[in-house]
């Protein structure tokens, strides 16, 4: 056991085999707080940082000598669509002849491992299958858990647009559960009002009142109370009035809370994203993408089914509207400026620029849960399997002893940075009221459609009534005609005996 500053580490893991007695070449890049690279007066470099301290402990435990060299190319390492590795991984892979397997040429940190320039990468790399095919991860213990997301400086949408988001803002003052409870309460009160009125028919309620408080009319009446409207007719019985008073109290409480929360939602200043999706970023040509070189997923974007991702890949490869992060504070400050979309971990942005990171918000369409993180690992070139196993054992022991956590606290600080809450009230804009103002024309349009439907139904009903009356008149006419014909037949029948009698008298006279 030995002490390294405030850290206690464990030794005597045994000497490494003879094939590891040569000096390891370690490539890295300036990436605070993981690695700080400072040029000395003699023209050399001084290395410090979280990963540098961790690497020193690893090599001391295993009696391994090493030499750290700044990377000759930029970025971590991504496999592009043309089979070319970028970044530090490429400087490791060719150490074991990976190029003959069809992985193409390599640049950057991955490229330095690929191209026989380095044995290890002193950086934090996420595990990917394409990388694992050409390098080895020290994957027993992650050195960092990153949450890289798309961020942009908060701003305001001043242009009015009736989007689903604007319409949903009308529901924001109340939680979804409260809206469902409100609907259920209105339904219960409507049923209760109908039953209390119907059960008091003849004892306290007139026939007219009972007809006016059918179930449908009761639902409308309860809705009117919730919206602060009165009724033209009130029930007379005590039970029905109790239901009525309950609905009025519910309406007052809901109206007060909804109005207050809606005004707060519309007027209290809060961070908002000027654009909401990658498609909007591509469409606005004055926006710039800022991210680290050799980000592992860049190659996947070329084959992504989403056109916006493929456009991002094109911008990066063409170096158009793209600015790489280089680890400096000035460069990171640029990433927090307006009309800039940055892909990075917010904790690291806080570490670089402090409170300026409070101005950043996630891109809404790419928003991920806060707990979603990706483990990151140290990397060795292929062919150092025995050394990799021993380093994994040492890292696991350092994690169990708490040494890794103490190193993280030393370089990353304690706890989580919090942004100060800013209480500010802003004037309402047309964009805020777009959904509210749209209610009137939408209601007028709905009213016109309903009126047209009612007129159509009324015309059809009138036509059916006319046809029914016409049928009734025809039936009556046919009935009258039949009766007249019957009377005529009866008269003829009655006149026959008188004719026969007359003829008989005449015959008798002649005789």
């Amino acid at each position: 056991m030995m002490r390294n500053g405030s850290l206690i580490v464990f030794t005597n893991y045994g000497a490494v085999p003879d094939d590891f007695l040569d000096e390891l070449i370690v490539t890295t890049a300036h990436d605070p707080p993981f690695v700080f690279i400072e040029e000395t007066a003699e023209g050399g470099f001084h290395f410090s940082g979280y990963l540098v301290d961790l690497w020193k402990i690893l090599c001391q435990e295993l009696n391994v000598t090493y030499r750290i060299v700044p990377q000759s190319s930029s970025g971590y390492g991504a496999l592009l669509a043309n089979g070319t590795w970028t970044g530090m991984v490429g400087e490791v892979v060719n150490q074991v002849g990976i190029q003959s397997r069809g992985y193409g040429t390599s640049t950057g940190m991955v490229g330095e491992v690929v191209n026989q320039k380095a044995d290890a990468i002193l950086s934090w790399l996420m595990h990917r299958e394409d990388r694992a095919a050409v390098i080895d991860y020290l994957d027993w213990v992650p050195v960092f858990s990153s949450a890289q997301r798309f961020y942009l400086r908060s701003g305001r949408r001043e242009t009015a647009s009736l989007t689903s988001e604007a319409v949903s803002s009308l529901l924001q003052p109340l939680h979804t559960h409260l809206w469902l409870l409100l609907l259920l309460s209105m339904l219960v009160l409507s049923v209760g009002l109908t039953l209390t009125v119907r059960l008091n028919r003849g004892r306290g309620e007139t026939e007219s009142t009972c007809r006016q408080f059918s179930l449908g009319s009761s639902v409308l009446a309860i809705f009117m109370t919730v919206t602060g409207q009165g009724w033209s007719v009130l029930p007379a019985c005590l039970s029905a009035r109790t239901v009525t008073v309950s609905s009025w109290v519910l309406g007052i409480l809901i109206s007060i809370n909804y109005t207050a929360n809606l005004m707060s939602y519309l007027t209290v200043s809060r961070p908002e994203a000027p654009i909401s999706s990658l498609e909007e970023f591509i469409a606005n040509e004055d926006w710039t993408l800022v991210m680290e070189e050799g980000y592992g997923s860049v190659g996947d974007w070329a084959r992504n089914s989403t056109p916006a991702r493929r456009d991002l890949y094109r911008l990066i490869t063409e170096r158009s509207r793209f600015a790489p992060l280089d680890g400096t504070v000035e460069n990171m400050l640029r990433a927090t400026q307006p009309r800039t979309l940055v892909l990075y971990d917010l904790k690291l942005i806080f570490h670089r620029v402090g409170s300026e990171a409070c101005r950043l918000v996630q891109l809404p369409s790419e928003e991920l849960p806060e707990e979603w993180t990706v483990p990151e690992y140290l990397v060795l070139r292929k062919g150092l399997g025995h050394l990799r196993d021993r380093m994994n054992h040492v890292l696991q022991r350092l994690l169990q002893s708490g040494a890794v956590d103490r190193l993280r606290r030393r370089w990353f600080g304690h706890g989580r940075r919090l942004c100060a809450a800013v209480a500010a009230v802003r004037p309402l804009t047309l964009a805020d009221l777009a959904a509210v103002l749209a209610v009137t024309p939408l209601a007028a349009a709905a009213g016109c459609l309903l009126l047209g439907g009612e007129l159509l139904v009324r015309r059809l009903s009138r036509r059916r009534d006319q046809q029914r009356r016409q049928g009734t008149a025809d039936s009556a006419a046919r009935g009258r005609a039949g009766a007249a014909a019957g009377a005529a037949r009866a008269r003829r029948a009655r006149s026959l005996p008188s004719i026969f009698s007359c003829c008989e008298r005449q015959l008798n006279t002649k005789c």
Side-chain angles (χ1 to χ4, degrees):
M1 184 175 69
M2 62 175 292
R3 179 175 292 275
N4 183 0
S6 61
L7 300 176
I8 298 177
V9 297
F10 299 87
T11 56
N12 300 324
Y13 277 89
V16 297
D18 292 339
D19 55 340
F20 299 134
L21 294 180
D22 293 337
E23 183 180 61
L24 290 177
I25 306 300
V26 182
T27 181
T28 190
H30 182 69
D31 186 16
F34 298 96
V35 178
F36 293 86
I37 301 179
E38 298 174 336
E39 193 169 354
T40 63
E42 294 78 16
F45 296 96
H46 174 70
F47 301 94
S48 61
Y50 162 58
L51 292 183
V52 175
D53 286 353
L54 185 61
W55 184 259
K56 286 180 182 177
I57 296 172
L58 279 175
C59 292
Q60 287 173 1
E61 292 286 313
L62 297 173
N63 298 319
V64 172
T65 60
Y66 64 93
R67 176 165 55 93
I68 303 178
V69 294
Q71 67 177 114
S72 59
S73 52
S74 58
Y76 297 110
L79 182 61
L80 301 184
N82 59 3
T84 300
W85 276 103
T86 66
M88 285 186 280
V89 175
E91 300 190 12
V92 177
V93 175
N94 280 348
Q95 181 82 344
V96 290
I98 297 296
Q99 243 182 347
S100 62
R101 303 177 191 176
Y103 286 93
T105 58
S106 308
T107 60
M109 281 193 283
V110 176
E112 292 185 7
V113 180
V114 175
N115 294 327
Q116 211 173 27
K117 297 179 180 178
D119 301 299
I121 296 175
L122 195 56
S123 186
W124 45 293
L125 276 75
M126 65 178 175
H127 190 281
R128 289 179 52 85
E129 293 300 325
D130 51 1
R131 286 176 175 173
V134 294
I135 56 177
D136 283 334
Y137 287 92
L138 301 181
D139 53 4
W140 285 20
V141 176
V143 295
F144 186 66
S145 293
S146 68
Q148 300 207 29
R149 297 171 174 82
F150 286 101
Y151 293 97
L152 66 163
R153 192 183 182 97
S154 59
R156 290 289 303 159
R157 286 177 175 267
E158 300 297 336
T159 57
S161 57
L162 189 60
T163 61
S164 59
E165 190 176 311
V167 174
S168 65
S169 66
L170 294 177
L171 303 178
Q172 291 294 331
L174 301 180
H175 193 273
T176 305
H177 297 163
L178 188 55
W179 282 114
L180 295 177
L181 181 61
L182 176 60
L183 292 176
L184 180 61
S185 301
M186 292 173 60
L187 180 60
V188 171
L189 288 173
S190 302
V191 174
L193 181 60
T194 302
L195 290 178
T196 53
V197 171
R198 293 294 179 88
L199 293 176
N200 283 280
R201 184 195 303 267
R203 291 190 295 270
E205 305 295 347
T206 63
E207 289 293 332
S208 175
T209 303
C210 292
R211 285 195 300 271
Q212 292 192 28
F213 282 99
S214 62
L215 182 58
S217 299
S218 296
V219 171
L220 180 60
I222 297 298
F223 177 76
M224 291 173 64
T225 61
V226 173
T227 56
Q229 303 298 313
W231 298 355
S232 59
V233 177
L234 289 176
C237 61
L238 181 60
S239 57
R241 290 198 171 191
T242 302
V243 176
T244 303
V245 171
S246 301
S247 66
W248 285 347
V249 172
L250 175 65
I252 292 172
L253 295 176
I254 293 296
S255 178
I256 291 174
N257 285 278
Y258 178 84
T259 304
N261 289 343
L262 179 63
M263 295 307 297
S264 299
Y265 178 80
L266 293 177
T267 60
V268 174
S269 179
R270 65 190 184 280
E272 289 190 31
I275 60 175
S276 59
S277 64
L278 292 176
E279 287 76 11
E280 287 190 54
F281 169 79
I282 298 298
N284 290 272
E285 297 186 355
D286 54 345
W287 280 71
T288 302
L289 175 65
V290 177
M291 58 182 290
E292 292 184 302
E293 292 271 22
Y295 183 66
S297 299
V298 169
D300 298 337
W301 294 351
R303 301 177 294 274
N304 197 281
S305 59
T306 307
R309 296 275 181 176
R310 298 196 297 269
D311 289 335
L312 284 182
Y313 175 82
R314 176 181 54 80
L315 293 179
I316 294 171
T317 54
E318 295 176 358
R319 319 298 288 184
S320 172
R321 297 169 55 191
F322 171 72
L325 290 172
D326 59 11
T328 62
V329 175
E330 294 77 12
N331 183 259
M332 186 59 71
L333 282 172
R334 178 185 177 184
T336 62
Q337 297 307 303
R339 301 193 174 278
T340 302
L341 183 66
V342 57
L343 178 59
Y344 205 53
D345 189 295
L346 189 60
K347 299 188 297 294
L348 300 180
I349 300 177
F350 264 115
H351 190 273
R352 307 277 181 88
V353 299
S355 60
E356 280 294 313
C358 293
R359 300 175 180 269
L360 299 179
V361 294
Q362 280 197 59
L363 187 66
S365 66
E366 304 293 321
E367 194 166 347
L368 295 172
E370 186 176 353
E371 62 273 10
W372 184 86
T373 58
V374 176
E376 313 277 353
Y377 304 96
L378 294 174
V379 168
L380 296 177
R381 67 171 173 84
K382 289 287 188 180
L384 301 178
H386 192 66
L387 179 61
R388 180 198 62 191
D389 294 340
R390 286 181 172 270
M391 284 190 167
N392 273 326
H393 280 287
V394 175
L395 278 174
Q396 188 178 52
R397 189 66 176 272
L398 291 175
L399 179 66
Q400 294 170 349
S401 67
V404 175
D405 291 332
R406 287 192 290 271
L407 274 177
R408 289 173 181 168
R409 288 194 296 269
R410 176 192 296 178
W411 289 102
F412 289 92
H414 298 266
R416 179 182 176 184
R417 296 175 181 264
L418 298 177
C419 299
V422 180
V425 178
R426 57 177 177 80
L428 291 175
T429 64
L430 185 60
D432 295 323
L433 297 179
V436 178
L437 297 176
V439 170
T440 301
L442 289 177
C448 291
L449 290 176
L450 292 175
L451 177 59
E454 289 176 344
L455 292 176
L456 180 60
V457 171
R458 192 172 302 167
R459 173 173 293 183
L460 293 176
S461 299
R462 188 181 297 115
R463 182 176 298 175
R464 283 197 300 269
D465 292 340
Q466 290 175 352
Q467 292 174 352
R468 190 181 303 113
R469 286 195 298 268
Q470 184 66 35
T472 303
D474 293 343
S475 298
R478 286 193 296 270
R480 289 193 297 270
R489 285 194 298 272
R491 286 193 300 271
R492 286 194 299 271
R494 286 195 301 269
S495 62
L496 287 176
S498 59
I499 295 173
F500 291 146
S501 298
C502 182
C503 290
E504 185 178 359
R505 284 195 301 270
Q506 290 178 358
L507 290 173
N508 290 332
T509 301
K510 290 179 179 180
C511 292

